[in-house]
């Protein structure tokens, strides 16, 4: 079945019930290499959602999901190759890695083939803008996360900031959005510095920050592993005792295992398992299915990705790739494990909740789940 001429969800469901079908879902994700710590848990969540849907008879009770998995090894060129192989193999939807840059590199492949693609957890708002109509994100945008964290810092009385960013990737430039929001709120940026991803030594910039007088109220970075642990150890060793703010890239066991140097760090991420929440229910499901507790929100992010595709197929009434793409772009309030997810009215970046988390005693402590003021959110910064 490639296209069904139905316009309502009810008729679409009836059609899919009447005729067996299959959705070929291609995964071009990083199961090895630097991005594996994000993509691997996302794929665990994807598999749980697919098993759950298939056990119930498939999407709409009839469309079974076939996963076709390829390890891109955290390599941009391999991502392009894998995307082409998946397109050639008949994939009707494709999942791309948790970084905007390899996902953008694969955009011409999926765009030319008119196959919708969703990054596991890339958060750069430039991803769909550069990637084109067939590329979607699955995570709160960098500009939205930065608005949430900067607004929180300002409201807590932190009026001055220092930002550390890397121009090596779209994601690691998030602090530039943070600086924009701080300035818009009336705060100041006392300084900024850059680093290279994988940089082994942060002692020079740490010493520079610690020596500032007056000291910045907050240091913000979107550095992730292995850079964030290296940086914050150097920063605390240099004597800086102020607030450090990070982003979703440090939502990992590594951060919570850093001990005193990470105590009090606040970061933005996609969700938090409050009592009675869908995320708490997902975490219970995850433990039932795997025998181990979910240790990262990226498991649930993968589950949500499949729920979005399920909703798109139901709305499209078809497994035709172009129909799925068009339906996905109009989705509203899809209930995921982390939050509700909306694409309608966006350029491909989902509207979804942002959670602020504090590291407290090696555990997650919910700071809040505020909605950012729309007029504060910076426009996507094209690098």
């Amino acid at each position: 079945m490639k296209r069904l001429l139905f316009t309502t969800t009810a008729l679409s469901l009836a059609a899919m019930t009447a005729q067996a079908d299959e959705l070929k879902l291609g995964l071009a994700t990083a199961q090895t290499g630097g991005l594996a710590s994000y993509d691997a848990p996302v794929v665990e969540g994807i598999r749980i959602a697919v098993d759950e849907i298939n056990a119930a008879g498939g999407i709409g009770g009839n469309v079974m999901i076939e996963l076709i998995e390829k390890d891109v090894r955290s390599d941009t060129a391999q991502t392009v190759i894998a995307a082409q192989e998946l397109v050639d193999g008949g994939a009707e939807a494709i999942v791309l890695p948790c970084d905007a840059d390899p996902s953008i590199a694969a955009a011409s492949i999926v765009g030319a083939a008119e196959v919708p693609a969703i990054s596991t957890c890339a958060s750069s708002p430039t991803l769909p803008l550069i990637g084109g109509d067939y590329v979607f994100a699955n995570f709160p945008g960098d500009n939205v996360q930065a608005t949430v964290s900067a607004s929180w810092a300002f409201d807590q009385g932190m009026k001055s900031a220092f930002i550390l960013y890397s121009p090596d990737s779209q994601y690691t430039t998030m602090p530039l959005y943070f600086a924009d929001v701080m300035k818009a709120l009336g705060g100041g940026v006392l300084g900024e510095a850059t680093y290279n991803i994988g940089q082994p030594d942060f002692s020079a910039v740490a010493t520079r920050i610690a020596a500032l007088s007056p000291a910045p109220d907050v240091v913000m970075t979107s550095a992730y592993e292995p850079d964030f642990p290296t940086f914050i150890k150097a920063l605390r060793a240099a004597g800086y005792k102020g607030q450090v703010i990070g982003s979703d890239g440090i939502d990992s066991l590594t951060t919570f295992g850093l001990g005193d140097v990470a105590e009090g760090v606040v970061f933005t991420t996609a969700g938090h398992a409050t009592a009675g929440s869908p995320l708490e229910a997902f975490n219970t499901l995850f433990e039932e299915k795997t025998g181990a507790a979910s240790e990262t929100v990226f498991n649930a992010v993968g589950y949500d990705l499949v729920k979005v595709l399920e909703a798109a197929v139901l709305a499209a009434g078809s497994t035709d790739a172009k129909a799925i793409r068009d339906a996905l772009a109009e989705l509203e309030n899809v209930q995921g494990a982390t939050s509700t997810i909306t694409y309608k009215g966006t350029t491909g970046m989902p509207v979804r909740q942002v959670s602020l988390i504090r590291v407290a005693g090696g555990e997650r402590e919910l700071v809040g789940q505020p909605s950012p003021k729309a007029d504060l959110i910076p426009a996507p910064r094209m690098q």
Side-chain angles (χ1 to χ4, degrees), residues 4-312:
L4 297 176
L5 299 179
F6 298 101
T7 56
T8 68
T9 300
L11 287 175
S12 300
L13 284 168
M16 288 193 292
T17 301
Q19 183 177 0
D21 198 9
E22 183 177 77
L23 173 71
K24 290 187 177 181
L25 177 57
L27 306 187
T29 61
Q31 299 307 298
T32 55
L35 292 177
S37 57
Y38 307 99
D39 274 4
V42 169
V43 171
E44 289 179 316
I46 286 175
R47 290 175 184 148
I48 288 174
V50 168
D51 288 347
E52 184 179 66
I53 290 170
N54 285 345
I59 298 172
N62 199 43
V63 179
M64 303 294 284
I65 303 175
E66 178 191 2
L67 287 182
I68 308 169
E69 301 189 31
K70 294 183 181 295
D71 178 12
V72 302
R73 305 193 293 272
S74 302
D75 180 79
T76 296
Q78 192 58 42
T79 303
V80 174
I81 292 170
Q84 186 64 63
E85 290 176 346
L86 291 169
V87 166
D88 293 344
E92 286 129 340
I94 292 175
V95 178
L96 295 173
C98 188
D99 187 71
D101 298 286
S103 297
I104 289 171
S108 62
I109 303 295
V110 299
E114 297 187 327
V115 173
I118 309 179
S119 164
T120 55
C121 43
S123 52
S124 172
T126 61
L127 171 60
L129 293 179
I130 300 174
D133 291 343
Y134 280 82
V135 177
F136 295 83
N138 180 45
F139 212 84
D142 293 344
N143 50 347
V144 176
Q145 291 190 54
T147 302
V148 169
S149 59
S151 298
W152 172 80
F154 191 83
D155 289 345
Q156 298 300 308
M158 303 173 205
K159 309 298 185 187
S160 63
F162 187 98
I163 62 168
L164 175 70
Y165 70 96
S166 172
D168 290 352
S169 78
Q170 298 276 328
Y171 172 73
T172 48
T173 63
M174 189 193 301
L176 296 172
Y177 292 123
F178 185 91
D180 288 345
V181 177
M182 281 294 286
K183 293 174 184 175
L185 288 167
V189 177
L190 298 184
E192 64 179 50
T194 61
Y195 68 97
N196 298 319
I197 291 177
Q199 183 171 308
D201 185 358
F202 285 86
S203 58
V205 68
T207 300
R208 177 185 163 194
I209 295 171
L212 287 173
S213 182
D217 295 327
V218 55
V219 174
M220 196 274 170
T221 182
S222 53
Y224 55 94
E225 297 179 27
D227 299 320
F228 181 77
T230 307
F231 168 65
I232 196 165
K233 288 176 183 175
L235 186 65
R236 295 309 191 200
Y240 179 76
K241 300 183 184 303
Q243 179 68 53
V244 175
I245 292 179
S247 51
D248 58 275
I250 63 169
D251 188 359
S252 72
L253 284 179
T254 302
T255 298
F256 294 97
L258 286 173
D260 290 343
V261 297
E263 185 71 11
V265 167
V266 168
F267 63 88
T268 48
T269 191
H272 183 73
T274 54
S277 67
L279 184 52
E280 183 185 57
F282 169 80
N283 288 341
T284 299
L285 175 66
F286 183 92
E287 189 160 0
E288 290 174 357
K289 296 296 184 184
T290 67
S294 176
E295 297 175 334
T296 168
V297 75
F298 291 103
N299 292 138
V301 168
Y303 183 89
D304 288 355
L305 191 155
V306 176
K307 300 304 288 184
V308 164
L309 285 174
E310 177 189 40

